Amino acid sequence: MLTLYGHPFSSYTWKALIPLYANGTEFEFREIMPGDEFIAKAHPAGKFPVLIDGKTEVFEATAIVEYLAVHHPGTAALIPADPGEAVVARMMDRFFDNYVMNVGQLVVNAYIADAQSPDPMQVKAGKDGLLRSYGWLENWLSNNSLPPHVSLVTCAAAPSLFYADWIERIPADCLRVASLRAEILALPAVARCVDDARPYRHYFPLGAPDRD
């Protein structure tokens, strides 16, 4: 039995949950509590998610998706079979993690540090970075296509775009990006993550909007 350690409100936990849900893979989910000793030992920085498969421990969400694709494959082809398409999938995985998720986290971190008076420079850097990423993605989508859902890209894009739009709304002129977000959130595996995270929305440092 696979075991996934994480938290329902965690974006990177979503990234690991989505492929498990999409392929109907049997697993046990263990919600991380503050000061969890297992995570402190299993991850070099004490972070989650962490996947346990027998004696094998896998950390980092991207590595978990890759591991599942190899060792627990299902109907959802998480990694494209074509090597060239697989490269594109991995490139876009890095885009969503590094230039959407992590950029938006700059704003979140500013509010965590001081909710009443967040560092304006850090907030601006995060929001400007998101707008730049939205614009780049809009242009990329006009000339390229993503792998069919559910793929590694889906797993990265879902939590990235979900939370990023809470931080800085997707602009009206980025119709393809907004459409992609809506399309992904409608997928059953993603919708399940959204619903399971609803009880924790009060954790969002900026204040969660009254929408998905």
Side-chain angles (χ1 to χ4, degrees):
M1 175 69 73
L2 292 169
T3 303
L4 183 71
Y5 291 77
H7 192 279
F9 199 61
S10 156
S11 55
Y12 283 111
T13 298
W14 283 24
K15 186 174 178 179
L17 284 170
I18 291 168
L20 290 165
Y21 290 154
N23 279 327
T25 307
E26 291 188 11
F27 74 102
E28 177 185 357
F29 181 70
R30 294 190 182 179
E31 183 176 328
I32 293 301
M33 303 304 289
D36 188 280
E37 293 184 3
F38 172 78
I39 290 297
K41 295 177 180 178
H43 191 286
K47 297 181 178 181
F48 48 83
V50 172
L51 181 73
I52 304 301
D53 186 9
K55 295 182 179 180
T56 302
E57 298 181 0
V58 186
F59 63 86
E60 294 300 308
T62 295
I64 291 173
V65 178
E66 294 261 14
Y67 180 86
L68 293 171
V70 173
H71 297 283
H72 298 274
T75 56
L78 303 175
I79 306 296
D82 179 85
E85 293 177 3
V87 170
V88 174
R90 292 183 173 101
M91 177 185 74
M92 295 307 294
D93 168 73
R94 294 296 79 220
F95 165 77
F96 282 110
D97 277 9
N98 292 329
Y99 305 112
V100 180
M101 188 103 71
N102 291 352
V103 168
Q105 191 65 37
L106 293 174
V107 181
V108 172
N109 288 344
Y111 276 82
I112 290 175
D114 189 343
Q116 301 304 316
S117 183
D119 183 341
M121 295 297 291
Q122 190 168 347
V123 171
K124 184 177 187 304
K127 293 194 169 197
D128 286 352
L130 285 177
L131 291 173
R132 184 166 56 250
S133 293
Y134 292 151
W136 182 90
L137 181 58
E138 180 72 15
N139 182 65
W140 190 89
L141 290 172
S142 69
N143 298 296
N144 301 273
S145 58
L146 295 173
H149 303 306
V150 168
S151 74
L152 172 63
V153 182
T154 314
C155 300
S160 297
L161 292 177
F162 179 83
Y163 286 116
D165 189 63
W166 281 11
I167 297 166
E168 179 65 36
R169 291 298 298 265
I170 297 171
D173 60 352
C174 289
L175 296 176
R176 293 180 182 85
V177 179
S179 177
L180 175 63
R181 183 180 188 272
E183 174 186 321
I184 289 176
L185 293 187
L187 297 171
V190 178
R192 183 172 176 180
C193 289
V194 173
D195 287 341
D196 288 347
R198 290 184 190 280
Y200 304 95
R201 290 192 172 190
H202 61 282
Y203 286 172
F204 196 64
L206 284 71
D210 188 22
R211 61 181 175 83
D212 285 342

